Structure formats: structure tokens, C-alpha cells
Coordinates of all heavy atoms in Angstrom, one line a residue:
M1 N 85.1 82.5 121.9 CA 84.6 82.2 120.6 C 84.7 83.4 119.7 O 84.3 84.5 120.1 CB 83.2 81.6 120.7 CG 82.7 81.2 119.3 SD 81.1 80.3 119.6 CE 80.1 81.3 118.5
S2 N 85.2 83.2 118.5 CA 85.4 84.3 117.6 C 84.2 84.3 116.6 O 83.8 83.2 116.1 CB 86.7 84.1 116.8 OG 86.9 85.1 115.9
T3 N 83.7 85.5 116.4 CA 82.6 85.6 115.4 C 83.2 85.6 114.0 O 84.1 86.4 113.7 CB 81.9 87.0 115.6 OG1 81.5 87.0 116.9 CG2 80.8 87.2 114.6
P4 N 82.7 84.7 113.1 CA 83.2 84.6 111.7 C 82.9 85.9 110.9 O 81.8 86.4 111.1 CB 82.6 83.4 111.1 CG 81.4 83.1 112.0 CD 81.7 83.7 113.3
M5 N 83.9 86.4 110.2 CA 83.7 87.6 109.3 C 84.2 87.3 108.0 O 85.2 87.8 107.6 CB 84.3 88.8 110.0 CG 83.6 89.2 111.3 SD 84.2 90.8 111.8 CE 85.8 90.5 112.4
P6 N 83.6 86.3 107.2 CA 84.2 85.9 105.9 C 84.4 87.1 104.9 O 85.4 87.1 104.2 CB 83.3 84.9 105.4 CG 82.0 85.0 106.2 CD 82.4 85.7 107.4
A7 N 83.4 87.9 104.8 CA 83.5 89.0 103.8 C 84.7 90.0 104.2 O 85.4 90.5 103.4 CB 82.2 89.7 103.7
C8 N 84.7 90.3 105.5 CA 85.8 91.2 106.0 C 87.2 90.5 105.8 O 88.1 91.2 105.4 CB 85.6 91.5 107.5 SG 84.2 92.6 107.8
E9 N 87.3 89.3 106.1 CA 88.5 88.5 105.9 C 88.9 88.5 104.5 O 90.1 88.7 104.1 CB 88.4 87.1 106.5 CG 88.2 87.0 108.0 CD 89.4 87.6 108.8 OE1 90.5 87.7 108.3 OE2 89.2 87.9 110.0
A10 N 88.0 88.3 103.6 CA 88.3 88.3 102.1 C 88.8 89.7 101.7 O 89.8 89.7 100.9 CB 87.0 87.9 101.3
L11 N 88.2 90.8 102.1 CA 88.7 92.1 101.7 C 90.1 92.3 102.4 O 90.9 92.9 101.7 CB 87.7 93.2 102.2 CG 88.0 94.6 101.8 CD1 88.0 94.7 100.2 CD2 87.0 95.6 102.4
A12 N 90.3 92.0 103.6 CA 91.5 92.1 104.3 C 92.7 91.4 103.6 O 93.8 91.7 103.7 CB 91.4 91.8 105.7
A13 N 92.3 90.3 102.9 CA 93.3 89.5 102.2 C 93.9 90.1 101.0 O 94.9 89.7 100.5 CB 92.7 88.1 102.0
D14 N 93.2 91.1 100.5 CA 93.6 91.8 99.3 C 94.8 92.8 99.7 O 94.6 93.6 100.5 CB 92.5 92.6 98.7 CG 92.8 93.4 97.5 OD1 94.0 93.5 97.1 OD2 91.9 93.9 96.9
P15 N 96.0 92.6 99.2 CA 97.1 93.4 99.5 C 96.9 94.9 99.3 O 97.4 95.7 100.0 CB 98.2 92.9 98.6 CG 97.9 91.5 98.1 CD 96.4 91.5 98.2
A16 N 96.0 95.2 98.4 CA 95.7 96.7 98.2 C 94.9 97.3 99.3 O 94.8 98.5 99.5 CB 95.0 96.9 96.9
R17 N 94.3 96.4 100.2 CA 93.4 96.9 101.3 C 94.1 96.7 102.6 O 93.5 96.3 103.6 CB 92.1 96.1 101.3 CG 91.3 96.2 100.0 CD 90.8 97.6 99.7 NE 90.8 97.8 98.3 CZ 91.5 98.7 97.6 NH1 92.3 99.5 98.2 NH2 91.4 98.7 96.3
Y18 N 95.4 97.0 102.6 CA 96.2 96.9 103.9 C 95.6 97.7 105.0 O 95.7 97.4 106.2 CB 97.6 97.1 103.6 CG 98.0 98.6 103.2 CD1 98.3 99.5 104.1 CD2 98.0 98.8 101.9 CE1 98.6 100.8 103.7 CE2 98.2 100.2 101.4 CZ 98.6 101.1 102.4 OH 98.8 102.4 102.0
I19 N 95.1 98.9 104.7 CA 94.5 99.7 105.8 C 93.3 99.0 106.4 O 93.1 99.0 107.6 CB 94.2 101.1 105.3 CG1 95.4 101.9 104.9 CG2 93.4 101.9 106.3 CD1 95.2 103.2 104.2
F20 N 92.5 98.4 105.5 CA 91.4 97.7 106.1 C 91.8 96.5 107.0 O 91.2 96.3 108.0 CB 90.4 97.2 104.9 CG 89.2 96.5 105.4 CD1 88.2 97.2 106.0 CD2 89.2 95.1 105.5 CE1 87.0 96.5 106.5 CE2 88.1 94.4 106.0 CZ 87.0 95.1 106.4
K21 N 92.8 95.9 106.5 CA 93.4 94.8 107.3 C 93.8 95.2 108.7 O 93.6 94.6 109.7 CB 94.6 94.1 106.6 CG 95.1 92.9 107.3 CD 96.2 92.3 106.4 CE 96.8 91.0 107.0 NZ 97.7 90.3 106.2
Q22 N 94.5 96.4 108.7 CA 94.9 97.0 110.0 C 93.7 97.3 110.9 O 93.7 97.1 112.1 CB 95.8 98.2 109.8 CG 97.1 97.9 109.2 CD 97.9 99.1 108.8 OE1 97.3 100.2 108.7 NE2 99.2 99.0 108.7
L23 N 92.7 97.9 110.3 CA 91.5 98.3 111.0 C 90.8 97.1 111.6 O 90.4 97.1 112.8 CB 90.6 99.1 110.2 CG 91.0 100.5 109.7 CD1 90.1 101.1 108.7 CD2 91.2 101.4 110.9
L24 N 90.7 96.1 110.8 CA 90.0 94.8 111.2 C 90.7 94.2 112.3 O 90.2 93.7 113.3 CB 89.8 93.9 110.0 CG 89.0 92.6 110.2 CD1 87.6 92.9 110.7 CD2 89.1 91.7 109.0
S25 N 92.1 94.2 112.2 CA 92.9 93.6 113.3 C 92.7 94.4 114.6 O 92.6 93.8 115.7 CB 94.4 93.6 112.9 OG 95.2 93.2 113.9
A26 N 92.7 95.7 114.5 CA 92.5 96.5 115.7 C 91.1 96.2 116.3 O 91.0 96.2 117.6 CB 92.6 98.0 115.3
L27 N 90.1 96.0 115.5 CA 88.8 95.7 116.0 C 88.8 94.4 116.8 O 88.3 94.3 117.9 CB 87.7 95.6 114.9 CG 86.4 95.1 115.2 CD1 85.7 96.0 116.3 CD2 85.5 95.0 114.0
K28 N 89.4 93.4 116.2 CA 89.5 92.1 116.8 C 90.3 92.1 118.1 O 90.0 91.3 119.0 CB 90.1 91.1 115.9 CG 89.2 90.7 114.7 CD 89.9 89.7 113.8 CE 89.1 89.3 112.7 NZ 89.8 88.3 111.8
E29 N 91.3 93.0 118.2 CA 92.2 93.0 119.4 C 91.6 93.9 120.5 O 92.1 93.9 121.6 CB 93.6 93.5 119.0 CG 94.3 92.5 118.1 CD 95.6 93.1 117.6 OE1 96.0 94.2 118.0 OE2 96.2 92.4 116.8
A30 N 90.6 94.7 120.2 CA 90.0 95.7 121.1 C 89.3 94.9 122.3 O 88.6 94.0 122.0 CB 89.1 96.6 120.5
D31 N 89.6 95.4 123.5 CA 89.0 94.7 124.7 C 87.8 95.5 125.2 O 86.8 94.9 125.6 CB 90.0 94.6 125.8 CG 91.1 93.6 125.4 OD1 90.8 92.6 124.8 OD2 92.3 93.9 125.9
L32 N 87.9 96.8 125.2 CA 86.8 97.6 125.8 C 85.8 98.0 124.8 O 86.1 98.1 123.6 CB 87.5 98.9 126.3 CG 88.6 98.8 127.4 CD1 89.2 100.1 127.7 CD2 88.0 98.1 128.6
Y33 N 84.6 98.2 125.3 CA 83.5 98.6 124.4 C 83.8 99.8 123.6 O 83.5 99.8 122.4 CB 82.2 98.8 125.3 CG 81.1 99.3 124.4 CD1 80.2 98.4 123.7 CD2 80.8 100.7 124.4 CE1 79.1 98.9 123.0 CE2 79.7 101.1 123.6 CZ 78.9 100.3 122.9 OH 77.9 100.8 122.2
D34 N 84.3 100.8 124.2 CA 84.6 102.1 123.5 C 85.6 101.9 122.4 O 85.5 102.5 121.4 CB 85.1 103.1 124.5 CG 84.0 103.7 125.4 OD1 82.8 103.5 125.1 OD2 84.4 104.3 126.4
E35 N 86.6 101.0 122.6 CA 87.6 100.7 121.6 C 86.9 100.0 120.4 O 87.2 100.4 119.2 CB 88.7 99.9 122.1 CG 89.6 100.6 123.2 CD 90.6 99.6 123.8 OE1 90.4 98.4 123.7 OE2 91.5 100.1 124.4
K36 N 86.1 99.1 120.7 CA 85.4 98.4 119.6 C 84.4 99.3 118.8 O 84.4 99.3 117.6 CB 84.6 97.2 120.2 CG 85.4 96.0 120.7 CD 84.6 94.9 121.3 CE 85.5 93.8 121.8 NZ 84.7 92.7 122.3
H37 N 83.7 100.1 119.5 CA 82.8 101.1 118.9 C 83.6 102.0 118.0 O 83.2 102.3 116.9 CB 82.0 101.8 119.9 CG 80.9 102.7 119.4 ND1 81.1 104.0 119.1 CD2 79.7 102.4 119.0 CE1 80.0 104.5 118.6 NE2 79.1 103.5 118.5
H38 N 84.7 102.5 118.5 CA 85.6 103.4 117.7 C 86.0 102.7 116.4 O 86.0 103.3 115.3 CB 86.7 103.9 118.5 CG 87.7 104.7 117.8 ND1 87.4 106.1 117.5 CD2 88.9 104.5 117.3 CE1 88.4 106.6 116.9 NE2 89.3 105.6 116.7
M39 N 86.4 101.4 116.5 CA 86.9 100.7 115.4 C 85.8 100.4 114.3 O 86.0 100.5 113.1 CB 87.7 99.5 115.7 CG 89.0 99.7 116.5 SD 90.0 101.0 115.7 CE 90.3 100.4 114.1
V40 N 84.6 100.1 114.9 CA 83.5 99.8 114.0 C 83.2 101.1 113.2 O 82.8 101.1 112.0 CB 82.3 99.3 114.8 CG1 81.0 99.4 113.9 CG2 82.5 97.8 115.2
T41 N 83.2 102.2 113.9 CA 82.9 103.5 113.3 C 84.0 103.9 112.2 O 83.7 104.3 111.1 CB 82.9 104.6 114.3 OG1 81.9 104.3 115.3 CG2 82.6 106.0 113.7
R42 N 85.2 103.6 112.5 CA 86.3 103.9 111.6 C 86.2 102.9 110.3 O 86.4 103.4 109.2 CB 87.7 103.7 112.2 CG 88.1 104.8 113.2 CD 89.5 104.7 113.7 NE 90.4 105.0 112.5 CZ 91.7 104.7 112.6 NH1 92.2 104.2 113.7 NH2 92.4 104.9 111.6
I43 N 85.9 101.7 110.6 CA 85.7 100.7 109.5 C 84.6 101.2 108.6 O 84.7 101.2 107.3 CB 85.5 99.3 110.0 CG1 86.8 98.8 110.5 CG2 85.0 98.4 108.9 CD1 86.8 97.5 111.3
G44 N 83.5 101.7 109.2 CA 82.4 102.1 108.4 C 82.7 103.3 107.5 O 82.3 103.4 106.3
G45 N 83.5 104.2 108.1 CA 84.0 105.3 107.2 C 84.9 104.9 106.1 O 84.8 105.4 105.0
Y46 N 85.8 103.9 106.4 CA 86.7 103.4 105.4 C 85.9 102.8 104.3 O 86.2 102.9 103.1 CB 87.7 102.4 106.0 CG 88.7 101.9 105.0 CD1 89.8 102.6 104.6 CD2 88.5 100.6 104.5 CE1 90.7 102.2 103.7 CE2 89.5 100.1 103.6 CZ 90.5 100.9 103.2 OH 91.4 100.4 102.3
L47 N 84.9 102.0 104.6 CA 84.0 101.3 103.7 C 83.3 102.3 102.8 O 83.1 102.1 101.6 CB 83.1 100.3 104.3 CG 83.8 99.1 105.0 CD1 82.7 98.3 105.8 CD2 84.5 98.2 104.0
A48 N 82.8 103.4 103.4 CA 82.1 104.4 102.6 C 83.0 105.0 101.6 O 82.6 105.3 100.5 CB 81.6 105.5 103.6
A49 N 84.3 105.2 102.0 CA 85.3 105.8 101.0 C 85.5 104.8 99.9 O 85.6 105.2 98.7 CB 86.5 106.1 101.8
L50 N 85.7 103.5 100.2 CA 85.8 102.5 99.2 C 84.6 102.5 98.2 O 84.8 102.4 97.0 CB 86.1 101.1 99.7 CG 87.4 100.9 100.5 CD1 87.4 99.4 101.0 CD2 88.5 101.1 99.6
M51 N 83.5 102.6 98.8 CA 82.2 102.6 98.0 C 82.2 103.8 97.1 O 81.8 103.8 95.9 CB 81.0 102.5 98.9 CG 79.7 102.3 98.1 SD 78.3 102.0 99.2 CE 78.3 103.5 100.1
E52 N 82.5 105.0 97.6 CA 82.5 106.2 96.9 C 83.5 106.2 95.7 O 83.2 106.7 94.6 CB 82.8 107.4 97.8 CG 82.7 108.7 97.1 CD 82.8 109.9 98.0 OE1 82.7 109.7 99.3 OE2 83.0 111.0 97.5
C53 N 84.6 105.5 95.9 CA 85.6 105.4 94.8 C 85.3 104.3 93.9 O 86.0 104.0 92.9 CB 87.0 105.2 95.5 SG 87.5 106.6 96.4
G54 N 84.2 103.5 94.1 CA 83.9 102.5 93.2 C 84.6 101.2 93.4 O 84.6 100.3 92.5
V55 N 85.3 101.0 94.5 CA 86.1 99.8 94.8 C 85.2 98.6 95.2 O 85.5 97.5 94.9 CB 87.2 100.1 95.9 CG1 87.9 98.9 96.3 CG2 88.2 101.1 95.3
I56 N 84.2 99.0 96.0 CA 83.2 98.0 96.4 C 81.8 98.5 96.1 O 81.6 99.7 95.9 CB 83.3 97.7 98.0 CG1 83.0 98.9 98.8 CG2 84.6 97.0 98.3 CD1 83.0 98.6 100.3
T57 N 80.9 97.6 96.0 CA 79.5 98.0 95.7 C 78.7 98.3 97.0 O 79.2 98.0 98.1 CB 78.7 96.8 95.0 OG1 78.7 95.7 95.9 CG2 79.5 96.4 93.7
V58 N 77.5 98.8 96.9 CA 76.7 99.1 98.0 C 76.4 97.8 98.7 O 76.4 97.7 100.0 CB 75.4 99.8 97.6 CG1 74.4 99.9 98.7 CG2 75.6 101.1 97.0
E59 N 76.1 96.7 98.0 CA 75.8 95.4 98.6 C 77.0 94.9 99.4 O 76.8 94.3 100.5 CB 75.4 94.4 97.5 CG 74.1 94.7 96.9 CD 74.1 95.8 95.8 OE1 75.3 96.1 95.3 OE2 73.1 96.4 95.5
Q60 N 78.2 95.0 98.8 CA 79.4 94.6 99.6 C 79.6 95.4 100.8 O 79.9 94.9 101.9 CB 80.6 94.7 98.6 CG 80.7 93.7 97.5 CD 81.8 94.0 96.6 OE1 81.9 95.2 96.2 NE2 82.5 93.0 96.2
S61 N 79.3 96.7 100.8 CA 79.5 97.6 101.9 C 78.5 97.2 103.0 O 78.9 97.1 104.2 CB 79.3 99.0 101.5 OG 79.3 99.8 102.7
R62 N 77.3 96.9 102.7 CA 76.3 96.5 103.6 C 76.7 95.2 104.2 O 76.5 95.0 105.5 CB 74.9 96.3 102.9 CG 74.3 97.7 102.6 CD 72.9 97.5 102.0 NE 72.4 98.8 101.6 CZ 71.6 98.9 100.6 NH1 71.2 98.0 99.9 NH2 71.1 100.2 100.4
A63 N 77.1 94.2 103.5 CA 77.6 92.9 104.0 C 78.7 93.1 105.0 O 78.7 92.5 106.1 CB 77.9 91.9 102.9
L64 N 79.7 93.9 104.6 CA 80.9 94.1 105.5 C 80.5 94.8 106.7 O 81.0 94.4 107.8 CB 82.0 94.9 104.7 CG 82.6 94.2 103.5 CD1 83.2 95.2 102.5 CD2 83.6 93.2 104.0
R65 N 79.6 95.8 106.6 CA 79.2 96.6 107.8 C 78.4 95.7 108.7 O 78.5 95.8 110.0 CB 78.4 97.8 107.4 CG 79.3 98.8 106.8 CD 78.5 100.0 106.4 NE 79.3 101.2 106.9 CZ 78.7 102.3 107.4 NH1 77.4 102.4 107.3 NH2 79.4 103.3 107.8
N66 N 77.6 94.8 108.1 CA 76.8 93.9 109.0 C 77.7 93.0 109.8 O 77.4 92.7 110.9 CB 75.8 93.1 108.1 CG 74.9 92.3 108.9 OD1 74.2 92.8 109.8 ND2 74.8 91.0 108.6
E67 N 78.7 92.5 109.1 CA 79.7 91.6 109.9 C 80.3 92.3 111.0 O 80.4 91.7 112.1 CB 80.7 91.1 108.9 CG 80.2 90.0 108.0 CD 81.3 89.4 107.1 OE1 82.5 89.8 107.2 OE2 81.0 88.5 106.3
T68 N 80.7 93.6 110.9 CA 81.3 94.3 112.0 C 80.2 94.5 113.1 O 80.6 94.5 114.3 CB 81.9 95.6 111.6 OG1 81.0 96.5 111.0 CG2 83.1 95.3 110.5
R69 N 79.0 94.8 112.7 CA 78.0 95.0 113.7 C 77.7 93.7 114.5 O 77.6 93.8 115.7 CB 76.7 95.5 113.1 CG 76.6 97.0 112.8 CD 75.2 97.4 112.4 NE 74.7 96.8 111.2 CZ 74.9 97.3 110.0 NH1 75.6 98.4 109.8 NH2 74.4 96.7 109.0
V70 N 77.7 92.6 113.8 CA 77.4 91.3 114.5 C 78.6 91.0 115.4 O 78.4 90.5 116.5 CB 77.2 90.2 113.5 CG1 77.2 88.8 114.1 CG2 75.8 90.4 112.7
F71 N 79.8 91.3 115.0 CA 81.0 91.1 115.8 C 80.9 91.9 117.1 O 81.2 91.4 118.1 CB 82.3 91.5 115.0 CG 83.5 91.3 115.8 CD1 84.1 90.1 115.8 CD2 84.1 92.4 116.5 CE1 85.3 89.9 116.6 CE2 85.3 92.2 117.3 CZ 85.9 90.9 117.3
M72 N 80.4 93.1 117.0 CA 80.4 94.0 118.2 C 79.2 93.7 119.0 O 79.3 93.6 120.2 CB 80.4 95.4 117.7 CG 80.2 96.4 118.8 SD 81.2 97.8 118.7 CE 80.8 98.6 120.2
W73 N 78.0 93.6 118.5 CA 76.7 93.5 119.3 C 76.1 92.2 119.2 O 75.0 92.0 119.9 CB 75.8 94.6 118.8 CG 76.2 96.0 119.1 CD1 76.3 96.5 120.4 CD2 76.7 97.0 118.3 NE1 76.7 97.8 120.3 CE2 77.0 98.1 119.0 CE3 76.9 97.1 116.9 CZ2 77.5 99.3 118.5 CZ3 77.4 98.2 116.3 CH2 77.7 99.3 117.2
G74 N 76.6 91.2 118.5 CA 76.0 89.9 118.4 C 75.0 89.8 117.3 O 74.7 90.7 116.6
P75 N 74.5 88.6 117.1 CA 73.6 88.3 115.9 C 72.3 89.1 116.0 O 71.7 89.2 114.9 CB 73.4 86.8 116.0 CG 74.0 86.3 117.2 CD 74.8 87.4 117.9
A76 N 71.8 89.5 117.1 CA 70.6 90.3 117.1 C 70.7 91.7 116.6 O 69.8 92.4 116.6 CB 70.0 90.2 118.5
A77 N 71.9 92.1 116.3 CA 72.2 93.5 115.9 C 71.5 93.9 114.6 O 71.4 93.4 113.7 CB 73.7 93.8 115.8

């Protein structure tokens, strides 16, 4: 069963966010815990950069990061 990530999918659908799309794809394809953890960390850094540049808001960053946490650790994360 796949964990839905609507905010992440919406950002990945923006052609200007092709790096985010690649990172999200790598997270979804990761099999090992360490690979997933690495990708969640990279995505967090990328989202911080987008926020610093004013591309996304703090609220959007929190929502996106929450989706990646739930994907990795489940709804109780």
C-alpha cells in the first residue's frame, strides 16, 4: 500500500521543481531504511532551500516534510 503524499505530488508536478520530483521518486523507490532516511533528509534540505528563496512558505514546508515523515515512519510520526 502506498502512502498518499498529495502536497509532495503537487510540488513534483511543477516542471520547475524537477529536482524535487527526482528526490521524491528516489524516496518512493528506496527499499532499505537507510536509503529512505537519506532521501527524507535530502528532501528536507531541498525544502529548506526553497523556503529560504521564497518559493514555498513555512506552512507549505511543514506540510511537505510531514508527508515525507509519514511516508517513512507511518502516521504516528
Side-chain angles (χ1 to χ4, degrees):
M1 182 171 122
S2 178
T3 303
M5 295 192 287
C8 288
E9 294 295 343
L11 185 62
D14 180 350
R17 303 293 149 244
Y18 62 92
I19 293 173
F20 182 77
K21 185 176 184 176
Q22 291 173 338
L23 293 173
L24 187 60
S25 178
L27 172 61
K28 290 179 176 182
E29 293 173 8
D31 292 326
L32 301 174
Y33 173 86
D34 288 342
E35 292 172 344
K36 289 180 182 179
H37 186 266
H38 178 73
M39 292 315 303
V40 166
T41 302
R42 287 189 67 193
I43 287 172
Y46 183 78
L47 292 174
L50 290 180
M51 189 174 57
E52 186 173 344
C53 294
V55 174
I56 61 174
T57 65
V58 172
E59 293 79 17
Q60 288 170 314
S61 177
R62 286 181 183 150
L64 292 158
R65 292 179 127 212
N66 186 55
E67 285 184 359
T68 61
R69 278 193 297 272
V70 170
F71 180 84
M72 175 139 184
W73 289 290

